């Protein structure tokens, strides 16, 4: 388990607990009481730290290297052996930074897709740190259109620092691909449910983020720009990234207050990486609940519901 800078008090206590347990095993001395006291201290320290997270600390948690990614959620949620990954945009290439395919969730067919990061250095390069190229967004749109054809609900999982900013991406129409997805998703005649499972930055997130229902996991962020990028624009360096995080109102509580999202999915204490199975179950329950709630909607009603939802965002003066 890796620990972030603000989690170091927990690491120290965990080290003490491991030492206490080891001493008991090697010496045969009963240290249950001492270990129990350390366990209580660990629990209290976790509640204190994770109950008072700053926006920047929440950003750090969303990027934790042990945090579950899209493929982890798919493997942990869908019926065993049911996920069939589909590849390619039928135009240029496949994009490993954005994956998707058909699956069943307790027997319910779904089209599930999302941005995928990597664990190792080699895999991170292969996945481009979860930053899709235009062909990734075009592949996503192809899969969503396929789901619409067969009246299958669409589930999108967002965890991206943004769309890939490389020259080749711009040459192949990055802006057009994202804009096309936003446009087409507003008119899709099948239910779409979007979940921010990690980072939700800018158009990279919106390219698969126009849902009838949009949720954020507890330790995620969702805004127009990453705090570091915002700091580099306003202050010409990254030194003010914490100030930028505070100003951007990027936490789930902020997004819920502003009605950008419909709810917050609870995570295990400390983040989804502490107990991924609980995170999978919580997300799965929300998906199944939403599928049931929207099962009676007609295609036109789904389209209208989605458009009204996004049109109502923001403030207008006429």
């Amino acid at each position: 388990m890796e620990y972030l800078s603000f989690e170091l008090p927990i690491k120290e206590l965990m080290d003490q607990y491991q030492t206490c347990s080891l001493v008991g095993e090697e010496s045969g001395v009963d240290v249950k009481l001492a270990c129990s006291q350390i366990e209580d201290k660990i629990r209290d320290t976790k509640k204190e730290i994770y109950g008072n997270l700053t926006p920047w600390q929440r950003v750090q948690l969303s990027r934790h290297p042990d945090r579950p990614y899209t493929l982890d959620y798919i493997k942990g949620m869908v019926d065993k052996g049911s996920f069939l990954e589909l590849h390619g945009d039928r135009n240029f290439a496949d994009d490993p930074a954005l994956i998707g395919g058909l699956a069943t969730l307790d027997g319910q067919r779904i089209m599930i897709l999302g941005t995928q990061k990597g664990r190792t250095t080699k895999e991170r390069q292969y996945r481009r740190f979860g930053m899709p190229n235009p062909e990734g967004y075009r592949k996503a749109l192809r899969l969503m259109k396929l789901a619409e054809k067969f009246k299958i609900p669409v589930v999108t999982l967002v965890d991206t620092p943004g769309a890939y900013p490389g020259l080749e991406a711009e040459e192949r129409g990055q802006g057009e691909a994202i804009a096309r997805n936003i446009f087409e998703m507003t008119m899709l005649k099948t239910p779409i449910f979007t979940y921010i499972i990690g980072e939700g930055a800018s158009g990279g997130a919106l390219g698969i983020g126009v849902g009838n229902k949009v949720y954020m996991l507890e330790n995620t962020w969702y805004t127009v720009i990453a705090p570091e990028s915002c700091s580099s624009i306003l202050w010409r360096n990254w030194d003010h990234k914490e100030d930028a995080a505070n100003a951007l109102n990027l936490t789930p509580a902020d997004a819920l207050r502003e009605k950008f999202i419909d709810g917050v999915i609870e995570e295990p204490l400390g983040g989804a990486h502490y107990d991924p199975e609980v995170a999978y179950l919580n997300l799965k329950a929300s998906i199944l609940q939403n599928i049931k709630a929207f099962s009676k909607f007609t295609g036109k009603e789904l389209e209208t519901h989605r458009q009204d939802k996004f049109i109502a965002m923001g403030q207008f003066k006429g």
Side-chain angles (χ1 to χ4, degrees), residues 1 11 20 27 37 45-46 62 65 77 103 119 126 130 178 184 187 191 256 288 293 300 306:
M1 172 74 75
K11 181 182 185 303
C20 180
S27 65
Q37 290 175 338
T45 303
K46 281 185 176 181
S62 76
M77 291 191 308
R119 299 281 177 202
Y126 174 65
I178 294 172
E184 295 285 356
M187 299 188 295
L256 187 61
L288 290 173
K300 185 62 179 177
R306 202 176 304 119

Side-chain angles (χ1 to χ4, degrees), residues 226-269:
E228 295 93 333
S229 300
C230 180
S231 176
S232 68
I233 291 172
L234 296 180
W235 289 280
R236 305 300 180 186
N237 57 57
W238 284 14
D239 296 343
H240 294 270
K241 55 185 178 293
E242 294 185 47
D243 297 322
N246 291 332
L248 284 168
N249 290 333
L250 46 69
T251 68
D254 296 322
L256 187 61
R257 183 182 64 249
E258 299 295 338
K259 299 182 181 179
F260 297 148
I261 63 172
D262 299 285
V264 180
I265 307 296
E266 185 178 355
E267 293 186 28
L269 183 64

Side-chain angles (χ1 to χ4, degrees), residues 57-308:
Q57 288 171 340
R58 211 171 286 278
V59 169
Q60 291 177 286
L61 268 183
S62 76
R63 298 169 175 170
H64 197 288
D66 296 325
R67 191 174 178 85
Y69 296 146
T70 292
L71 280 173
D72 299 313
Y73 278 100
I74 291 174
K75 183 178 179 180
M77 291 191 308
V78 307
D79 300 339
K80 188 175 181 179
S82 71
F83 179 59
L84 175 64
E85 186 175 356
L86 302 174
H87 298 272
D89 67 344
R90 300 297 185 266
N91 184 35
F92 181 78
D94 188 37
D95 186 356
L98 205 159
I99 61 169
L102 293 161
T104 59
L105 205 63
D106 285 358
Q108 166 67 52
R109 289 189 304 167
I110 61 170
M111 181 70 77
I112 186 166
L113 52 96
T115 43
Q116 174 67 25
K117 296 178 177 178
R119 299 281 177 202
T120 65
T121 301
K122 187 175 181 179
E123 189 180 356
R124 286 170 185 148
Q125 291 175 336
Y126 174 65
R127 304 281 186 185
R128 290 190 310 282
F129 297 86
M131 295 186 289
N133 269 326
E135 51 268 25
Y137 292 106
R138 291 174 179 135
K139 174 174 68 173
L141 181 58
R142 180 176 75 84
L143 300 190
M144 289 187 281
K145 287 286 191 179
L146 184 64
E148 179 185 44
K149 179 178 180 179
F150 294 102
K151 296 180 171 57
I152 300 172
V154 174
V155 177
T156 66
L157 307 180
V158 178
D159 184 11
T160 179
Y164 188 65
L167 177 62
E168 64 273 23
E170 298 299 334
E171 289 175 339
R172 295 198 293 273
Q174 185 72 283
E176 187 277 338
I178 294 172
R180 173 65 59 180
N181 275 27
I182 294 171
F183 174 73
E184 295 285 356
M185 289 180 79
T186 61
M187 299 188 295
L188 210 68
K189 292 178 173 58
T190 197
I192 306 173
F193 309 118
T194 296
Y195 294 86
I196 314 297
I197 62 171
E199 300 186 86
S202 192
L206 280 179
I208 57 169
V210 184
N212 292 96
K213 290 289 185 179
V214 180
Y215 294 86
M216 294 175 69
L217 269 66
E218 191 176 354
N219 294 303
T220 62
W221 60 275
Y222 187 32
T223 189
V224 69
I225 191 171
E228 295 93 333
S229 300
C230 180
S231 176
S232 68
I233 291 172
L234 296 180
W235 289 280
R236 305 300 180 186
N237 57 57
W238 284 14
D239 296 343
H240 294 270
K241 55 185 178 293
E242 294 185 47
D243 297 322
N246 291 332
L248 284 168
N249 290 333
L250 46 69
T251 68
D254 296 322
L256 187 61
R257 183 182 64 249
E258 299 295 338
K259 299 182 181 179
F260 297 148
I261 63 172
D262 299 285
V264 180
I265 307 296
E266 185 178 355
E267 293 186 28
L269 183 64
H273 55 285
Y274 270 98
D275 194 344
E277 293 298 327
V278 172
Y280 303 154
L281 289 174
N282 290 348
L283 186 58
K284 179 179 178 179
S286 176
I287 294 170
L288 290 173
Q289 182 182 15
N290 279 307
I291 289 175
K292 183 178 180 180
F294 282 82
S295 61
K296 301 299 182 182
F297 280 56
T298 66
K300 185 62 179 177
E301 287 172 338
L302 289 166
E303 178 184 354
T304 302
H305 176 276
R306 202 176 304 119
Q307 291 175 5
D308 290 345

